[in-house]
Amino acid sequence: MTALTIAVVARRVGFLYRLATVGEPAPERIAYARANIGAEIKAQLVEVFGQKKLLKWTPSGVAHFFVMWAFFILLTVYVEAYGAMIQGAITGRPDFHIPLIGRWPALGFLQDFIALAALLGLVAFAVIRIKNAPSKLGRNSRFSGSHLGGAWVILFMIFNIIWSLFLFRAAAINTGNFPYESGAFVSELVARILPTSSLLEEIALLLHIGLMLVFAVIVVNSKHLHIFTAPLNVLFSRRPDGMGAAQEMRSGGKVLDFEEADPETDVFGRGKIEETTWKGFLDFYTCTECGRCQSQCPAWNTDKPLSPKMLILDQRDHAFAVAPYLLMSEEQRAHAGQDVLALLEKPLVGEQGVIHPDVLWSCTNCGACVEQCPVDIEHIDHILDMRRYQVMIESAFPSEAGVMLKNLENKGNPWGMPEMKRAEWIEELDFEVEIVDEKMPEDTEYLFWVGCAGALEDRAKKTTKAVAELLHIAGVKFAVLGPMEACTGDPARRLGMEFLFNMLAQQNIETLNEAGVKKIVATCPHCFNTLANEYPQLGGHFEVVHHTQLLSHLVDTGKLTPITPIEEKITYHDPCFLGRHNKVYSQPRDIMAKVPGVTTQEMHRHKDRGFCCGAGGARMWMEERIGKRINTERVDEALTTDPDTVSTACPFCLVMLGDAINEKKNTGKAKETLEVVDVAQLLIKSIKG
């Protein structure tokens, strides 16, 4: 039985390995893991063994923690079981015990305890699945779209393994072949109701091992393959958490050089399933179908077709469907059946494709899916790769985004406004702001990266002026690029136009280096993320801070002192690219906490579970035609706190939330005095009175 099981499992594992390695190489994953072995060991201890992400969802997390540890601890039981079979066959006395520790009562207790805890965990899983069944909750169920039958089979098999474990241990106690004199409290209780029988012991032992072997075969052919692949996926995932910088565009395992790239031979994004990297296939194999990503996705929560879970599962199912062809030799392919060939011709993205275009373009890149995934699947990487192919090869993307791309290429900003307008906000200040001519002045500490919105959008300009005034009051020497500043390229990159991103980024890096810039402060989280995390990919290394980080420091050091009370109830909205992508949660809240009179009230979804405003992923420049508007959903949540003011720390969020609040005012659902402001505006208001 064991030999047959090993053969079947090995054949399946070989198939999965060969299928994954059909895809694109990803040498950077292995190189990073080798170079950062300390961080990888910590990740294994915290995420795999410590179950950190799963325990964020306490009831199901605790249940999974015990079931997972049961797999590890009960390996000792299988050592005992196989040892008893071998020893029984040789000596006729199956009283085997593990050398040195095999008769330690604490081990017997631990084995029974973890088995009982796993049994209770199965009950919890069953209750959770019944309570959240799609048949009851529809798309509000995080299990909507999951393969539910397979999950119940797994629960049933684990249940069988546990009760058969107690059966054979109890039988061994009665025959005197059990290695522990005490400690195994559950097995001892079961033994009291069983007859003493060597035959029962042998049957129970064979039954338990047989069930385990059947379970092993089921696991490698089901979503529970994650038992083995999750540690690997965590090992090769991007650090710190698969967010921050978007992945560089690669072909053949190397970063794509656009000056030498050939569309005929190089891979531009992902147009076919076989263009997925082996890490992408590992994502497919590891998805547990738990639906945590789906439950947090702003697109899914506003009735759009994007489910991060189904994005992975649809690709996985397609990969398995076309696997017979992908693994064929050239000679075999020539004689392949039409059904397989028809599957191969099915586009990865398209109206009749594996992924519908509306799924692809619904994503805001907010990172909620990556943040919540307990096995480190990187959904955004999959989406960006497919977007890159659609934009650069197929030229298939929402038409309004095309206007944005043309404006970026011709004018250096998404709105297509003249570059000289970038400095007009300075005229509204009562002090001088240094504009960099060629070199940063010697006594200037920071370059203030104003950003396109901060310079050109009326509401965002209020934040820009507030930050400039605060830096001036605090005595921080700063300068701006003015007309020399161009868009960082974030909208282009997040849309999938990597070529344009490279062009803008290299232009800006050259400008910054020639000016001698070392330290940058940015008000836009998208600019902040791009400058700090993505420009190093192209050789641009700068010390970058978000304005809330710098202002919080200035308040803490006494260089800024809020005095005038602001008697308002304020709820703060976490920008995705500041919060989840860069883990800046405390500083904006610290600023508000230092302003006298302010009462803060958190929304239900905040910090790492914050809800997107709807502008990320270049969606700021795309119409939202499907389902409820994401910004409206977020404002509805903000209104439940009955705020006087909604604060944020991002110009995109300022615009999106402001638009939704104005709609609410027009329908009488929000008070006329309600407004959206940046935390910098609150601070300057308190300081200036």
Side-chain angles (χ1 to χ4, degrees):
M1 287 162 55
T2 303
L4 180 61
T5 299
I6 290 173
V8 171
V9 169
R11 184 173 183 271
R12 178 66 175 177
V13 171
F15 161 77
L16 294 172
Y17 176 79
R18 286 183 289 115
L19 179 59
T21 52
V22 162
E24 284 285 297
E28 75 281 2
R29 302 288 187 156
I30 298 172
Y32 184 90
R34 285 176 175 170
N36 297 272
I37 190 67
E40 298 301 346
I41 291 173
K42 180 181 177 182
Q44 294 293 316
L45 293 175
V46 172
E47 293 189 34
V48 178
F49 295 102
Q51 302 277 279
K52 179 182 178 181
K53 284 190 173 182
L54 275 162
L55 288 171
K56 289 180 180 180
W57 299 53
T58 307
S60 58
V62 171
H64 192 278
F65 180 87
F66 284 117
V67 172
M68 184 272 296
W69 272 100
F71 278 97
F72 296 135
I73 294 172
L74 295 182
L75 287 175
T76 59
V77 174
Y78 287 105
V79 173
E80 293 170 354
Y82 274 98
M85 290 182 65
I86 295 169
Q87 186 166 308
I90 296 173
T91 67
R93 182 75 180 172
D95 58 352
F96 174 83
H97 68 275
I98 301 172
L100 300 179
I101 63 170
R103 296 193 183 280
W104 189 31
L107 180 56
F109 172 81
L110 183 60
Q111 290 168 339
D112 270 28
F113 170 79
I114 201 67
L116 180 61
L119 191 61
L120 295 175
L122 297 182
V123 174
F125 286 149
V127 170
I128 289 169
R129 287 192 170 276
I130 292 171
K131 184 179 178 181
N132 295 281
S135 58
K136 292 181 180 179
L137 303 179
R139 67 181 284 133
N140 290 327
S141 168
R142 63 186 176 95
F143 300 118
S144 176
S146 298
H147 298 82
L148 302 176
W152 284 109
V153 168
I154 291 293
L155 293 183
F156 179 65
M157 286 304 301
I158 298 174
F159 168 72
N160 286 331
I161 287 172
I162 292 175
W163 72 254
S164 63
L165 175 145
F166 287 131
L167 178 65
F168 100 77
R169 285 163 68 86
I173 289 173
N174 286 341
T175 59
N177 293 325
F178 196 58
Y180 310 102
E181 292 184 3
S182 63
F185 62 103
V186 179
S187 299
E188 290 170 359
L189 287 174
V190 176
R192 294 179 184 179
I193 61 173
L194 292 180
T196 301
S197 169
S198 297
L199 179 61
L200 176 61
E201 180 187 7
E202 293 174 7
I203 292 173
L205 183 58
L206 284 169
L207 177 64
H208 179 62
I209 290 177
L211 287 169
M212 180 273 291
L213 295 175
V214 171
F215 179 69
V217 173
I218 292 174
V219 163
V220 296
N221 286 276
S222 72
K223 76 182 186 72
H224 273 71
L225 181 64
H226 76 268
I227 293 171
F228 304 111
T229 59
L232 293 175
N233 213 45
V234 171
L235 175 65
F236 294 117
S237 62
R238 293 198 287 128
R239 296 284 164 236
D241 55 11
M243 289 190 280
Q247 274 198 304
E248 295 171 282
M249 201 164 158
R250 293 176 176 268
S251 178
K254 297 180 180 179
V255 176
L256 194 65
D257 185 341
F258 283 100
E259 293 183 2
E260 300 178 0
D262 183 354
E264 296 296 324
T265 57
D266 285 312
V267 175
F268 281 67
R270 188 188 307 173
K272 303 174 183 177
I273 197 67
E274 59 264 38
E275 291 170 348
T276 307
T277 66
W278 59 258
K279 173 56 174 65
F281 276 94
L282 198 55
D283 281 348
F284 301 160
Y285 299 163
T286 308
C287 181
T288 68
E289 304 185 28
C290 67
R292 284 170 171 79
C293 58
Q294 180 174 287
S295 70
Q296 301 299 303
C297 177
W300 183 260
N301 275 279
T302 52
D303 298 323
K304 294 170 181 60
L306 169 62
S307 159
K309 175 184 69 178
M310 296 310 300
L311 178 91
I312 298 299
L313 296 187
D314 287 345
Q315 290 182 87
R316 182 191 73 186
D317 294 346
H318 178 63
F320 285 151
V322 300
Y325 178 86
L326 296 178
L327 299 177
M328 286 178 181
S329 65
E330 291 296 330
E331 184 179 346
Q332 290 173 320
R333 291 185 185 187
H335 300 90
Q338 289 301 312
D339 54 340
V340 175
L341 294 176
L343 271 174
L344 271 178
E345 292 171 2
K346 186 175 183 179
L348 191 56
V349 178
E351 295 284 345
Q352 304 299 321
V354 179
I355 306 297
H356 193 279
D358 288 339
V359 169
L360 199 63
W361 299 113
S362 293
C363 179
T364 66
N365 280 205
C366 72
C369 49
V370 181
E371 176 72 35
Q372 291 300 326
C373 181
V375 291
D376 283 6
I377 291 171
E378 295 157 347
H379 311 77
I380 292 177
D381 292 348
H382 289 265
I383 289 171
L384 282 181
D385 271 348
M386 286 185 275
R387 281 187 173 188
R388 286 165 173 169
Y389 183 85
Q390 292 301 301
V391 173
M392 290 190 284
I393 301 299
E394 296 291 331
S395 296
F397 51 91
S399 57
E400 59 269 23
V403 177
M404 179 267 290
L405 291 176
K406 288 180 181 177
N407 288 335
L408 285 179
E409 187 173 1
N410 297 328
K411 297 293 185 179
N413 68 80
W415 289 283
M417 299 176 73
E419 60 185 21
M420 296 308 296
K421 282 188 169 291
R422 283 186 175 271
E424 286 186 357
W425 62 273
I426 298 175
E427 300 170 5
E428 301 173 30
L429 300 175
D430 56 7
F431 59 91
E432 288 188 9
V433 173
E434 189 86 34
I435 299 178
V436 176
D437 184 11
E438 291 183 359
K439 289 285 185 181
M440 287 275 286
E442 290 185 4
D443 62 343
T444 303
E445 184 177 3
Y446 284 97
L447 175 80
F448 180 12
W449 187 274
V450 180
C452 300
L456 304 171
E457 206 283 326
D458 289 339
R459 286 166 286 188
K461 280 197 282 188
K462 295 177 182 178
T463 302
T464 303
K465 290 183 287 185
V467 171
E469 283 194 79
L470 289 165
L471 295 179
H472 178 69
I473 292 169
V476 176
K477 298 292 185 181
F478 70 96
V480 298
L481 289 176
M484 290 203 305
E485 185 181 291
C487 179
T488 60
D490 169 82
R493 175 167 243 195
R494 297 291 164 169
L495 183 74
M497 179 52 84
E498 191 75 8
F499 175 76
L500 181 55
F501 165 74
N502 268 259
M503 185 183 78
L504 291 166
Q506 288 172 354
Q507 173 187 327
N508 283 323
I509 290 170
E510 183 179 353
T511 299
L512 293 167
N513 285 336
E514 288 180 354
V517 174
K518 301 297 182 184
K519 299 168 71 174
I520 301 173
V521 57
T523 54
C524 175
H526 297 262
C527 296
F528 167 59
N529 181 69
T530 306
L531 292 164
N533 300 321
E534 299 186 344
Y535 275 19
Q537 295 172 348
L538 297 169
H541 298 276
F542 312 100
E543 182 183 334
V544 188
V545 296
H546 188 254
H547 74 280
T548 56
Q549 293 175 303
L550 180 56
L551 295 180
S552 178
H553 171 71
L554 295 174
V555 172
D556 289 342
T557 55
K559 294 182 178 179
L560 291 174
T561 306
I563 299 173
T564 306
I566 298 177
E567 303 293 343
E568 293 181 0
K569 184 179 181 182
I570 299 176
T571 189
Y572 175 71
H573 164 80
D574 286 284
C576 300
F577 275 72
L578 183 64
R580 270 190 296 266
H581 281 263
N582 286 283
K583 304 298 181 257
V584 179
Y585 296 117
S586 61
Q587 289 91 335
R589 291 173 169 83
D590 291 342
I591 292 171
M592 291 189 294
K594 298 290 175 60
V595 175
V598 167
T599 302
T600 57
Q601 175 67 53
E602 295 282 11
M603 285 182 259
H604 173 65
R605 291 181 284 209
H606 63 280
K607 293 188 176 178
D608 61 356
R609 288 201 188 184
F611 198 79
C612 185
C613 74
R619 286 222 53 91
M620 179 83 170
W621 292 275
M622 288 185 264
E623 291 297 327
E624 196 169 345
R625 298 184 177 90
I626 303 173
K628 184 178 181 180
R629 294 180 66 88
I630 293 174
N631 60 340
T632 302
E633 173 72 12
R634 186 53 165 167
V635 164
D636 282 342
E637 186 169 359
L639 292 177
T640 63
T641 67
D642 190 28
D644 299 308
T645 299
V646 177
S647 68
T648 188
C650 170
F652 290 0
C653 297
L654 202 69
V655 170
M656 298 296 285
L657 299 180
D659 287 348
I661 284 176
N662 288 336
E663 290 177 5
K664 294 294 180 182
K665 287 180 181 179
N666 292 336
T667 57
K669 295 180 180 178
K671 48 193 175 188
E672 286 298 321
T673 55
L674 181 63
E675 60 178 347
V676 186
V677 299
D678 189 281
V679 291
Q681 293 172 260
L682 291 172
L683 184 58
I684 193 68
K685 183 178 178 181
S686 179
I687 288 175
K688 292 182 68 177

